[in-house]
Amino acid sequence: MSYFDAASSLPLHPVARQALLAALDDGWADPGRPHREGRRARMLLDAARESAAEAVGCRPDELTFTPSGTRALHTGIAGALAGRRRVSRRLLVSAVEHSAVLHAAGTHEAAGGTVTELPVERTGRLRTDALRQALGDGDPAALVCLQSANHEVGTAQPVAEAAELCWAAGVPLLVDAAQSLPWGPVPGDWSLLAASAHKWGGPAGVGLLVVRKGVRFAPPPPADERERGRAAGFENIPAIVAAAASLRAVHQEAAAEAERLTALVDRIRDRVPELVPDTEVVGDPVRRLPHLVTFSCLYADGEALLHALDRAGFAVSSGSSCTSSTLTPSHVLRAMGVLSEGNVRVSLPPGTSRGEVNRFLATLPEAVGSVRAQLVPDAEPVVVASGPDGVTVDALGKRCPVPVIELAAVIGTVPVGAVVTVLSDDEAARLDIPAWCHTHHHDYLGESEADAGATAYRVRRAE
Amino acid sequence: MSYFDAASSLPLHPVARQALLAALDDGWADPGRPHREGRRARMLLDAARESAAEAVGCRPDELTFTPSGTRALHTGIAGALAGRRRVSRRLLVSAVEHSAVLHAAGTHEAAGGTVTELPVERTGRLRTDALRQALGDGDPAALVCLQSANHEVGTAQPVAEAAELCWAAGVPLLVDAAQSLPWGPVPGDWSLLAASAHKWGGPAGVGLLVVRKGVRFAPPPPADERERGRAAGFENIPAIVAAAASLRAVHQEAAAEAERLTALVDRIRDRVPELVPDTEVVGDPVRRLPHLVTFSCLYADGEALLHALDRAGFAVSSGSSCTSSTLTPSHVLRAMGVLSEGNVRVSLPPGTSRGEVNRFLATLPEAVGSVRAQLVPDAEPVVVASGPDGVTVDALGKRCPVPVIELAAVIGTVPVGAVVTVLSDDEAARLDIPAWCHTHHHDYLGESEADAGATAYRVRRAE
């Protein structure tokens, strides 16, 4: 079995395991108690904080351990917004942030604040011109949130440049460093930072929240005396000790491992489009995480593909609409404007061998082929209108990727310049039909409302 | 070293340790992923939930794992209040709840809700007549919070009776079961329940929140898809598995261990007042936790006592004002109206031997004596006024327990029926002077404002 879903979670690093076992014996007491056991727990906690702070590049008293990366983001965003409440209630976030950031933004909006989503390039990289414009439009901002690298497509974000723009505007920048911190400290003059230990081989149950000295911060209630009021609840010291130890360990290994995995990912990026027709590799090819690559396969169901790869011995992830319970495609892929069909995210754990990657590449074509074969529609596309200017296909009730499959089947039957209209009630079609047109060089003319909650998507055959 | 602070935290139970080690290998992946590793993690999580639910006495789908007991309380209270928001915004809590409950109540109040504190007997037990009255006064309640047993004095609360009253009034009851769940399920028809694994030998980082079917509940934002929206952040599966395993294990041992520790605590309750003069054992002598006893030693500083016992090899806790950073005495002792001076909480972990308890009893008199000796005031009490009706002592700037020591020294010098007035600016005097009068059978006449922010406490010599 090859586990290629490192961006979700990693097994415990051997150093973390060792540290955890030792700290289970010495770190179970309440560090707030003055007795011997309490003082011993406090010493372990203090040492872990110093170690983690050094790895992050901050002062120990700027670093709080939270129960998860999600909680670090929730607390960091709420606390920074509350601290700046009198200046502004406007939050700026990139459109491709993790759902934890977007959920916190939603809470802010529900409480009367405003949220501006900053657009990204087709690679997923923040458009810094949009950030510059938003910071300079006369409406002051309370906080900017930007990930250091995207969790779905691996694109590195221009954090240092964003931090400079924020600094000049006097607005704090919160960096979600969950995906990149395992690879090294985040550069630039950011104000707040959040991360999650199980992404670097630490145990679950530990997040980091860094709030730089001088940043206005009012922790969200209820009050609690632990972790300087920034993380309520009994400190999870054994896990914290293990998290700090493994962060140091992975940083020591990071440079060499990044070089090795970057080459393996380049190989996947190069080979997948050659091996599997109608596939789009997404995300920035150069400014990216070393270990992560995402591609989408036309005419394939992402969830089926994930299961086929799992059966073949490869654990991967998918941002396809088909895999989610909401039936809407990943907001990241949507913001990038790229295909979500048959989406596969490969994220290599440290130590992945070239042999494993080669086996994956050898397996992939058959896996995609088998999924595509299952999806050959039972029936012909239902053409409900046909004329000299084009045809209308009724794909109502058909789920991703069938509307695109039917569009692809029908467009070959109309003359160049004619228009195919696809009626669909599948939310994924809104993303995938334009994305398909983009990769297949047809003209996407736009969508309009049709009867019974359906949408009509219009495509002109270009060649 | 004898660790007698089980109510703060316990070392990991051997069963928990074993379960944790196994689950570190199998439970590190994201249980939300459909690949093999994710499914394996999900199976462990589901099994732990079933096991914990059976131990608590609820359905698995009623039970959520949270990052701590504090978070379970915060989420439980906020969610229940939000669910009942349209009916009422009035929260009833006993005056001796854990600070996590009181902090959540404070948040509710700051957001425009109201909070009614229900009084307790001198034993710390809820006055159910006060609950009945509050539920029947025509002003509907949103939620009632009551601990199953008090964390500072061990008194068991009338949960089943409170649940009946709440049921009749159509108001949900949230039970903070942190201290009693290690000893067995909480009886009665409660609606919500919170607990914390490190109190029963589970690891830190795991709390339980139970919300009975049919209870209106709206989880506080930000939204998160994990744990049915009730506990944001990546699930801490190895710790959850360990927590569930140790809850089962301690429940199997609970009946025998409770009987054994009840007898040891009875011994401490009986012997301490005989061995140490001017000591009050507080809390209900019968309806109580098996392993916990609290007493207060007049004319002693609680923090000094804690350190003296620590040096002598006993780790205990204290609710004295002197140990806290706020310089105000424990709200629990205050609500009970008992002495807070020289307060010591002894909470025996499972397996405590009779020999250890005997050694503690043999050590205690000398420890208290040495602390009392240090506290013999350098100077005589400053009598600033003296007349046939009594004297006034200026104890301004003197910290607990000096004001009481000076009162005790002076009262012997005035005739029976005369009044001693103590001027003090120490917050602990407000509790300790009346409590001292109660135990020494003098008449406490009350307090009034004096110059310079001081308070004048008046005591009539009775015998």
Side-chain angles (χ1 to χ4, degrees), chain A residues 269-293:
Chain A
R269 293 187 72 97
D270 292 345
R271 292 292 290 147
V272 164
E274 296 168 8
L275 292 167
V276 185
D278 290 312
T279 293
E280 183 183 7
V281 180
V282 300
D284 196 301
V286 178
R287 293 175 296 189
R288 61 167 175 84
L289 291 168
H291 67 305
L292 195 155
V293 53

Side-chain angles (χ1 to χ4, degrees), chain A residues 322 327 375 395-404 424-428:
Chain A
C322 318
L327 289 178
L375 272 165
L396 293 172
K398 295 173 180 171
R399 293 278 149 242
C400 155
V402 175
V404 171
S424 173
D425 50 10
D426 180 19
E427 188 54 35

Side-chain angles (χ1 to χ4, degrees), chain A residues 34-329:
Chain A
H35 49 55
R36 204 167 306 182
E37 286 80 359
R39 295 196 307 270
R40 202 165 52 180
R42 167 65 56 192
M43 278 171 51
L44 285 177
L45 179 58
D46 289 346
R49 196 186 313 278
E50 279 177 29
S51 168
E54 197 181 324
V56 170
C58 68
R59 296 167 38 157
D61 60 353
E62 295 175 330
L63 189 149
T64 301
F65 293 109
T66 66
S68 63
T70 297
R71 302 273 180 162
L73 286 168
H74 289 175
T75 301
I77 293 169
L81 287 170
R84 300 257 303 165
R85 199 186 158 83
R86 289 184 196 167
V87 180
S88 163
R89 299 201 65 199
R90 183 177 175 223
L91 171 64
L92 310 182
V93 300
S94 96
V96 295
E97 294 301 305
H98 190 273
S99 60
V101 171
L102 299 183
H103 286 317
T107 301
H108 178 59
E109 215 162 18
T114 61
V115 176
T116 304
E117 279 200 6
L118 301 170
V120 295
E121 312 283 359
R122 203 175 155 84
T123 59
R125 193 166 164 97
L126 174 73
R127 283 180 45 195
T128 47
D129 59 328
L131 173 60
R132 183 180 292 110
Q133 194 179 355
L135 288 172
D137 66 4
D139 183 4
L143 177 68
V144 176
C145 293
L146 179 63
Q147 62 200 186
S148 52
N150 186 267
H151 51 298
E152 286 192 28
V153 300
T155 300
Q157 298 294 358
V159 171
E161 190 183 344
E164 268 181 45
L165 292 173
C166 288
W167 190 257
V171 178
L173 173 68
L174 182 148
V175 178
D176 171 8
Q179 290 299 335
S180 85
L181 193 63
W183 300 103
V186 175
D189 274 336
W190 44 265
S191 298
L192 302 102
L193 179 143
S196 175
H198 72 101
K199 308 279 191 195
W200 66 68
V206 183
L208 295 184
L209 171 62
V210 180
V211 182
R212 291 280 195 203
K213 284 278 142 190
V215 173
R216 284 184 185 274
F217 193 82
D224 192 85
E225 72 277 11
R226 296 181 188 272
E227 287 294 292
R228 306 177 62 231
R230 291 173 181 176
F234 189 76
E235 295 92 341
N236 190 351
I237 294 178
I240 285 170
V241 168
S246 55
L247 185 57
R248 299 288 293 253
V250 299
H251 276 191
Q252 278 166 12
E253 303 152 0
E257 196 59 21
E259 196 180 328
R260 224 174 54 76
L261 295 184
T262 295
L264 293 181
V265 162
D266 276 341
R267 185 165 163 73
I268 297 173
R269 293 187 72 97
D270 292 345
R271 292 292 290 147
V272 164
E274 296 168 8
L275 292 167
V276 185
D278 290 312
T279 293
E280 183 183 7
V281 180
V282 300
D284 196 301
V286 178
R287 293 175 296 189
R288 61 167 175 84
L289 291 168
H291 67 305
L292 195 155
V293 53
T294 297
F295 52 86
S296 296
C297 305
L298 267 171
Y299 325 131
D301 173 306
E303 185 162 359
L305 196 44
L306 195 154
H307 285 293
L309 286 167
D310 186 54
R311 280 192 299 274
F314 295 95
V316 299
S317 171
S318 173
S320 283
S321 58
C322 318
T323 65
S324 94
S325 53
T326 58
L327 289 178
T328 57

Side-chain angles (χ1 to χ4, degrees), chain A residues 1-3 5 8-12 17 20-22 24-25 28-30 33-39 66-68 70-71 74-75 99-100 103-104 107 196 198 203-206 221-226 230-239 303 306-307 310-318 323 345, chain B residues 1-3 5 8-12 17 20-22 24-25 28-30 33-39 66-68 70-71 74-75 99-100 103-104 107 196 198 203-206 221-226 230-239 303 306-307 310-318 323 345:
Chain A
M1 198 71 197
S2 288
Y3 179 76
D5 194 18
S8 288
S9 192
L10 277 177
L12 209 57
R17 192 186 176 90
L20 181 68
L21 290 180
L24 286 173
D25 293 331
W28 51 268
D30 184 341
R33 298 287 176 193
H35 49 55
R36 204 167 306 182
E37 286 80 359
R39 295 196 307 270
T66 66
S68 63
T70 297
R71 302 273 180 162
H74 289 175
T75 301
S99 60
H103 286 317
T107 301
S196 175
H198 72 101
V206 183
D224 192 85
E225 72 277 11
R226 296 181 188 272
R230 291 173 181 176
F234 189 76
E235 295 92 341
N236 190 351
I237 294 178
E303 185 162 359
L306 195 154
H307 285 293
D310 186 54
R311 280 192 299 274
F314 295 95
V316 299
S317 171
S318 173
T323 65
R345 179 185 73 181
Chain B
M1 198 70 197
S2 287
Y3 179 75
D5 195 16
S8 288
S9 192
L10 277 177
L12 208 58
R17 192 184 177 88
L20 181 68
L21 290 181
L24 285 174
D25 293 331
W28 51 268
D30 184 341
R33 299 287 175 190
H35 47 55
R36 203 168 306 182
E37 286 81 358
R39 295 195 307 270
T66 66
S68 63
T70 296
R71 301 273 179 162
H74 288 175
T75 301
S99 60
H103 285 316
T107 301
S196 175
H198 72 101
V206 183
D224 193 86
E225 72 277 13
R226 297 183 186 271
R230 291 175 182 175
F234 190 75
E235 296 93 339
N236 190 351
I237 293 177
E303 186 161 0
L306 195 154
H307 286 293
D310 186 52
R311 281 192 299 274
F314 296 94
V316 299
S317 172
S318 172
T323 64
R345 179 185 74 181

Side-chain angles (χ1 to χ4, degrees), chain B residues 139-221:
Chain B
D139 183 6
L143 177 68
V144 176
C145 294
L146 179 64
Q147 60 200 188
S148 52
N150 185 269
H151 51 297
E152 287 192 28
V153 300
T155 299
Q157 299 294 357
V159 171
E161 191 182 343
E164 269 181 43
L165 292 172
C166 288
W167 190 257
V171 178
L173 173 68
L174 181 149
V175 178
D176 172 7
Q179 291 298 336
S180 85
L181 193 64
W183 301 105
V186 175
D189 273 337
W190 44 265
S191 298
L192 302 101
L193 180 142
S196 175
H198 72 101
K199 309 280 192 194
W200 69 67
V206 183
L208 295 184
L209 171 62
V210 180
V211 182
R212 291 279 195 204
K213 284 278 142 192
V215 173
R216 282 182 186 274
F217 193 83

Side-chain angles (χ1 to χ4, degrees), chain B residues 34-315:
Chain B
H35 47 55
R36 203 168 306 182
E37 286 81 358
R39 295 195 307 270
R40 202 165 53 180
R42 166 66 56 193
M43 278 171 52
L44 285 177
L45 179 59
D46 289 347
R49 196 187 312 278
E50 278 176 29
S51 168
E54 197 182 325
V56 170
C58 68
R59 296 167 39 158
D61 60 354
E62 294 174 332
L63 189 148
T64 301
F65 293 108
T66 66
S68 63
T70 296
R71 301 273 179 162
L73 286 169
H74 288 175
T75 301
I77 292 169
L81 287 171
R84 299 258 303 165
R85 197 187 158 84
R86 289 185 196 167
V87 179
S88 163
R89 299 202 64 201
R90 183 177 173 222
L91 171 64
L92 310 182
V93 300
S94 97
V96 296
E97 294 302 304
H98 190 273
S99 60
V101 171
L102 299 184
H103 285 316
T107 301
H108 179 59
E109 215 161 18
T114 61
V115 177
T116 303
E117 279 200 5
L118 302 170
V120 295
E121 312 282 358
R122 203 176 155 82
T123 58
R125 195 168 162 95
L126 174 73
R127 284 179 44 194
T128 47
D129 59 329
L131 173 60
R132 185 180 291 108
Q133 194 179 356
L135 288 172
D137 67 3
D139 183 6
L143 177 68
V144 176
C145 294
L146 179 64
Q147 60 200 188
S148 52
N150 185 269
H151 51 297
E152 287 192 28
V153 300
T155 299
Q157 299 294 357
V159 171
E161 191 182 343
E164 269 181 43
L165 292 172
C166 288
W167 190 257
V171 178
L173 173 68
L174 181 149
V175 178
D176 172 7
Q179 291 298 336
S180 85
L181 193 64
W183 301 105
V186 175
D189 273 337
W190 44 265
S191 298
L192 302 101
L193 180 142
S196 175
H198 72 101
K199 309 280 192 194
W200 69 67
V206 183
L208 295 184
L209 171 62
V210 180
V211 182
R212 291 279 195 204
K213 284 278 142 192
V215 173
R216 282 182 186 274
F217 193 83
D224 193 86
E225 72 277 13
R226 297 183 186 271
E227 287 293 293
R228 304 177 63 230
R230 291 175 182 175
F234 190 75
E235 296 93 339
N236 190 351
I237 293 177
I240 285 170
V241 167
S246 55
L247 184 58
R248 298 289 293 252
V250 299
H251 276 192
Q252 277 166 11
E253 303 152 2
E257 196 58 21
E259 195 180 329
R260 225 173 54 76
L261 294 184
T262 295
L264 293 181
V265 163
D266 276 341
R267 185 164 163 73
I268 298 174
R269 294 187 72 97
D270 292 344
R271 292 293 290 147
V272 164
E274 297 167 6
L275 292 167
V276 185
D278 291 312
T279 293
E280 183 183 6
V281 180
V282 301
D284 196 301
V286 178
R287 293 175 297 190
R288 60 167 176 85
L289 292 167
H291 66 306
L292 195 156
V293 53
T294 297
F295 51 87
S296 296
C297 305
L298 267 171
Y299 325 131
D301 173 306
E303 186 161 0
L305 196 44
L306 195 154
H307 286 293
L309 286 167
D310 186 52
R311 281 192 299 274
F314 296 94

Side-chain angles (χ1 to χ4, degrees), chain B residues 308-361:
Chain B
L309 286 167
D310 186 52
R311 281 192 299 274
F314 296 94
V316 299
S317 172
S318 172
S320 285
S321 57
C322 317
T323 64
S324 94
S325 54
T326 59
L327 290 176
T328 57
S330 142
H331 70 275
V332 172
L333 303 176
R334 204 165 54 213
M336 292 164 64
V338 298
L339 199 71
S340 76
E341 268 187 30
N343 180 262
V344 172
R345 179 185 74 181
V346 172
S347 49
L348 306 176
T352 302
S353 70
R354 191 173 173 86
E356 277 177 286
V357 169
N358 286 344
R359 275 199 299 282
F360 175 73
L361 291 172

